[in-house]
Amino acid sequence: MPFSQGSRAGLSYVEETVFGTTPTTPSLIQLPYTTHTLNLTKERVTGNDIQPDRMARVDRHGNRSVGGDIVVDLRKGDYDVFLESALFNTFSGSGEEIYLKVGTTPKFFSIEDAATDIAQFRLFTGMSVSSLAVSIRPNQMVTGTFSMVGKDMTISGTSVDPVKTAPSGNQPFDSYSGALGIGDFGGTLSDVAIVTGIDFTINNALAPTFVVGSASTPQLEYGMATIEGTITAYFEDATLINRFLNETETGIRVEVDDPSAGSGYTWLFPRIKINGADVPVDNPTSRIITLPFVALYDTTTATNLRIKKPAA
């Protein structure tokens, strides 16, 4: 009997209209991914009796939780609904003005983990993006880690949708097909060529809300849309350090694209506060400034993060 191989595994999803409920006739869409750690865990409920022989009598399973990370190479189209889930909103607009901003409406999915070589299918329900971590660095694809939280999981010998929609086939974004601009809040953002990387996280702090009489959560609670990140750059002058010293409110624009061009997404942080400027000497080569930042609400764009995507 064969063992399941990672090379034969697949992820697919469908959006839910009712939290935790897979549509009756779902049309799953295949999701390109690098790795994932989706899983179900249970709390343990143990007895409290003290026994003279020192041996426990009771150990039961308690509340059920599902979650884990889906790590991807970001690209045009395939992850739009997961970006919407991370920002609690939907892309809107037309023509060249299609944007996604931080909102207040969560989005939920049923996600199927298929072990196709042994015909076993784990179905996770009520899944939403609790946090998204994006990393943009030289000599790598632009990576995203969607940290998911959900309601429950079942396993079956058959898929809920054997005929799945294929992904777009678009190429991943890379770090050298875009640009990065920095400037004063509300001013012009000028391209800079000294940044060695930018990493940022959108955190919604999703969590189950367990109640008496149910092993799984009836809904997910959430907190603020906290967006924080780190810029690293070569130390060539005092410009970036002064932004920290003077508490200068700053704007950042990050453009990413694939080699075909015209597929790029633009991540705009209209108003950030830089909260550090470490410049250690780690070795004899170039010194690097590390600039942690937090994204703040901007009244003009009505968001702390705006993502622009191509019209088609």
Side-chain angles (χ1 to χ4, degrees), residues 156-179:
S156 173
T158 57
S159 171
V160 295
D161 177 22
V163 181
K164 300 175 175 66
T165 301
S168 68
N170 292 327
Q171 293 298 307
F173 299 138
D174 56 58
S175 62
Y176 50 84
S177 295

Side-chain angles (χ1 to χ4, degrees), residues 232 278-290:
T232 55
D278 293 351
V279 195
V281 177
D282 292 327
N283 52 54
T285 58
S286 301
R287 295 179 68 179
I288 301 294
I289 310 172
T290 299

Side-chain angles (χ1 to χ4, degrees), residues 1 26 67-68 75 91 113 141 162 172 185 209 219-221 237-238 252 260 286 292 299-300 310:
M1 185 174 181
R75 68 197 74 196
F91 279 99
D113 169 31
M141 301 303 179
F185 165 55
T209 55
Q219 66 179 40
L220 299 177
E221 64 182 4
D237 57 32
I252 301 176
S260 69
S286 301
T299 56
T300 301

Side-chain angles (χ1 to χ4, degrees), residues 66-179:
V66 294
D69 293 343
I70 302 174
V71 182
V72 305
D73 290 337
L74 290 174
R75 68 197 74 196
K76 177 184 174 183
D78 288 316
Y79 309 108
D80 284 359
V81 291
F82 286 85
L83 294 175
E84 292 176 339
S85 180
L87 270 64
F88 278 40
N89 210 341
T90 57
F91 279 99
S92 61
S94 60
E96 297 299 319
E97 304 296 320
I98 300 179
Y99 296 108
L100 175 64
K101 303 178 181 181
V102 173
T104 58
T105 305
K107 187 184 293 285
F108 303 103
F109 309 97
S110 292
I111 301 177
E112 185 183 82
D113 169 31
T116 59
D117 47 359
I118 61 170
Q120 292 296 311
F121 304 88
R122 297 189 303 162
L123 182 66
F124 298 87
T125 55
M127 302 294 281
S128 190
V129 179
S130 181
S131 67
L132 166 61
V134 176
S135 180
I136 304 171
R137 293 183 174 273
N139 294 314
Q140 71 170 37
M141 301 303 179
V142 177
T143 63
T145 300
F146 295 96
S147 295
M148 312 296 296
V149 173
K151 178 178 176 65
D152 210 346
M153 185 207 82
T154 58
I155 188 167
S156 173
T158 57
S159 171
V160 295
D161 177 22
V163 181
K164 300 175 175 66
T165 301
S168 68
N170 292 327
Q171 293 298 307
F173 299 138
D174 56 58
S175 62
Y176 50 84
S177 295

